[in-house]
Each structure stands twice: as C-alpha cells, then as structure tokens.
Amino acid sequence: MTVRTVLITGGNRGIGFALAEEFIAQGHRVAVTARSGEGPAGSLTVRADVTDGASLDAAYAEVESKLGPVEVLIANAGITKDTLVMRMTDEEFDSVVDTNLGGTFKVVKRAVKGMLKARFGRIVLISSVVGLYGSAGQVNYSSSKSALVGMARSLTRELGARGITANVVAPGFIETDMTAALPEEQQEQYRKNIPAGRFAQPSEVAKVCAWLASDDAGYISGAVIPVDGGLGMGH
Ligand code: NDP
C-alpha cells in the first residue's frame, strides 16, 4: 500500500467524517475541510467553505505545507434544499448548485494542479442515487448531482493520460443528519423501494471510496459506482 495525502471536504460529520476515519485507519495522511467542528482524531482540520475560493486557497496552502500535495481528493461536501419545483425559489436552486457542483469544481481545480505535477491523482466525487434516478422535490439537488457524472467523465478524458482517475460514487440512503431530516413517511417509502431492505452506514460509502483511491483501482476512471442497496439499478 502507498501512503497518500488525502483531502476530504465536509469531514466534520456524516459521510465525510467516516471517510476520514477509513483513510486514517488505512494509514494515510488525512486532512478534512470543515466550516465548523473537527474531523476525527488523527486528521488535520482546515477551515473552508467550498463556495468561497479564497477560503479554499488558504485551506490548500495549509494542507500542502503540513501534509504535502493532495494526491487523493474526495469531494463530499453537499447540501439539500428540498421542495417541489413550483415552490422552488431561484435562491434554493442556485445555492444547492453552487455548493454541490460549483464547490466541487473549485476543489477539483485546485487539486488537479498538484496532481498534474505529480502525474498521479485520485478524484472521487460524491454524487447521489437521485442524480440519475431523479427525485420529486429535489430538482436542484438531483441536477447538481447528475452534473458530477459529466464532470468526472470530462476530467477522465482530459487527465486520464497523466495518471489521474476521476470517479463518481453514488450513495443511496445513508444514515446521517441529511437523511435524519426527512419525514418518517418518506424514509419508509425509500426503505420499501430499496432491494437490500435497509439503509446504510457512512462507513459503507467510505470503504468503496478508499478502494477507488487505492493502487488497485488505477484502471477505473469515469465510472459511476452505486452504493445504494440496489435502489438505482438500471442507471
Ligand atoms: P451531512 O449533512 O451530514 O454533512 C454535509 C457535510 O457537507 C458537512 O460536513 C457540511 O459542513 C458540509 N458542507 C455543506 N456545505 C458546505 C460548504 N458550503 N462548504 C463546506 N462544507 C460544506 O451530509 P452527508 O454526510 O449525508 O452527505 C455527504 C455527501 O453525500 C453530500 O454531498 C450528500 O449530498 C451526499 N449523499 C448523501 C446521502 C445520504 O443518504 N446521506 C445520499 C447520497 C448522497 P457543515 O457541518 O459546516 O454544515
């Protein structure tokens, strides 16, 4: 196993926190961005808002000076602002797209600089099953998440020959603050439609991402890997 410098956005809770725990357990150097709170013990926490380029510049500078150039980027930070399309305000659309898509672009762009120099990089974009499955009440969120597929595939075509891979992981229903906020009836509806018959833990997403970042996954790029208990089959 090669020890890498790993940066995870939104590592203070939920899937991002579990990602940091997994990479630390595997012996990597791990930094997380957080707007508040901290990543797990053993990680370097840097302050950044993914919609704010200046804060990202400062965060990257700190990570690079303390841990070295970022070799593995997991773009995980994301938000929802669910409502039916007829009620969705421009602000609700724009802020979700700015965070989930624009924020991902900003972190990827900074990471690619060092990856090109090193002629090595692993980029994992955390999308969602609803990016390709669709979801009533999530026109903003699903649009932002499906766009990550185009981003990963374009990155693959642009950077594939330089030792850089870019993949999408599309989680289904994972037990975090984001899904705890959904009404009980909606949770039950999801559960009925998931072939696995259960929701998943953040660690189940983290292990797949860690494998995609590993030496073994060097020939996988532009892929969309579902971690959804079969919910989105047919993508
Ligand atoms: P949480 O709501 O638990 O955590 C979201 C994380 O993103 C937090 O660390 C949050 O930071 C961070 N974040 C949000 N906006 C910004 C921003 N502007 N700048 C920096 N950080 C930000 O969500 P999950 O852990 O559930 O989700 C993580 C990712 O996985 C998201 O992209 C989500 O869309 C995706 N996903 C989740 C699924 C699920 O079932 N939970 C299913 C499919 C995809 P802060 O604490 O400061 O708010």
Side-chain angles (χ1 to χ4, degrees):
M1 187 211 67
T2 317
V3 175
R4 304 285 184 194
T5 295
V6 182
L7 178 63
I8 298 152
T9 61
N12 53 313
R13 58 197 174 97
I15 294 171
F17 192 91
L19 279 160
E21 287 182 314
E22 180 62 30
F23 278 102
I24 291 165
Q26 293 193 9
H28 298 287
R29 297 177 290 269
V30 176
V32 306
T33 74
R35 293 187 297 187
S36 61
E38 300 281 323
S43 64
L44 167 69
T45 300
V46 292
R47 294 281 159 232
D49 183 319
V50 295
T51 63
D52 172 359
S55 76
L56 283 174
D57 286 339
Y60 265 89
E62 188 177 346
V63 173
E64 283 168 357
S65 75
K66 292 185 175 155
L67 303 184
V70 173
E71 299 165 288
V72 176
L73 171 69
I74 316 287
N76 164 77
I79 57 168
T80 50
K81 286 193 183 173
D82 298 352
T83 190
L84 297 173
V85 67
M86 289 304 290
R87 293 197 195 126
M88 191 174 286
T89 62
D90 289 356
E91 192 281 328
E92 283 165 335
F93 184 85
D94 292 345
S95 60
V96 169
V97 172
D98 282 354
T99 303
N100 299 358
L101 178 58
T104 298
F105 165 71
K106 288 185 176 75
V107 293
V108 164
K109 188 176 167 188
R110 280 161 182 80
V112 161
K113 210 170 144 194
M115 290 175 179
L116 279 172
K117 220 182 266 173
R119 296 187 76 82
F120 176 87
R122 294 276 194 271
I123 298 169
V124 179
L125 310 181
I126 305 296
S127 175
S128 165
V129 63
V130 307
L132 297 174
Y133 193 73
S135 172
Q138 293 195 305
V139 160
N140 49 1
Y141 182 75
S142 60
S143 304
S144 71
K145 292 299 191 179
S146 59
L148 299 181
V149 177
M151 187 186 293
R153 291 185 170 168
S154 299
L155 289 167
T156 293
R157 294 198 188 280
E158 209 172 305
L159 307 171
R162 313 286 193 91
I164 298 170
T165 67
N167 290 291
V168 167
V169 167
F173 197 113
I174 316 299
E175 289 183 356
T176 67
D177 296 344
M178 186 176 272
T179 44
L182 293 172
E184 190 54 45
E185 317 84 75
Q186 206 174 332
Q187 294 197 26
E188 212 29 62
Q189 194 57 42
Y190 269 115
R191 206 191 311 263
K192 278 196 200 125
N193 289 325
I194 298 168
R198 67 173 179 89
F199 300 151
Q201 295 305 308
S203 60
E204 298 182 80
V205 177
K207 284 185 190 297
V208 173
C209 295
W211 178 74
L212 277 174
S214 74
D215 296 339
D216 289 343
Y219 204 53
I220 299 174
S221 199
V224 180
I225 313 280
V227 186
D228 65 1
L231 177 61
M233 282 188 299
H235 280 177

